[in-house]
Amino acid sequence: MFLLLSVFCILQVDTVQTWLGRVATAYLSSELDAEISVERISFRLVKSVVLKGVLIKDQHNDTLVYSKEINVSISKFSTKSHHITVNNLLV
């Protein structure tokens, strides 16, 4: 129980969330052969996600998306069906 609580607490730290986001974007970048980066990530109990400094470029280095901040409000999250329902998206 202590280990589970410790992991939960560690995952609430923005620095850890940003590090996990960078690992994920590095994986996506290599899989898609495109540049994907996010400067900061902050999420709270699968209810909301804030992405700062989002940059997505294609294989030709053309910018597809750049946003200083993207706020996502999640209304439904299912690990069983691997679906996320977004309630609100602010770019």
Side-chain angles (χ1 to χ4, degrees):
M1 184 64 151
F2 177 74
L3 180 61
L4 183 61
L5 183 60
S6 297
V7 169
F8 176 78
C9 289
I10 289 170
L11 288 176
Q12 295 305 306
V13 177
D14 286 347
T15 307
V16 174
Q17 294 173 4
T18 298
W19 177 79
L20 290 171
R22 287 188 178 153
V23 169
T25 56
Y27 172 77
L28 285 173
S29 291
S30 70
E31 286 294 309
L32 299 173
D33 191 30
E35 181 182 346
I36 301 172
S37 65
V38 178
E39 290 175 13
R40 286 191 68 199
I41 297 175
S42 177
F43 58 87
R44 297 290 174 247
L45 296 175
V46 299
K47 291 291 182 188
S48 68
V49 178
V50 178
L51 306 169
K52 293 187 178 186
V54 177
L55 175 64
I56 302 173
K57 292 185 177 185
D58 66 9
Q59 292 87 358
H60 304 289
N61 209 29
D62 292 326
T63 300
L64 300 176
V65 175
Y66 174 75
S67 179
K68 289 183 181 182
E69 185 170 300
I70 298 174
N71 293 292
V72 182
S73 173
I74 300 169
S75 62
K76 187 176 177 185
F77 180 79
S78 171
T79 56
K80 184 177 179 181
S81 65
H82 303 287
H83 286 133
I84 297 174
T85 303
V86 174
N87 185 41
N88 204 359
L89 179 67
L90 180 62
V91 178

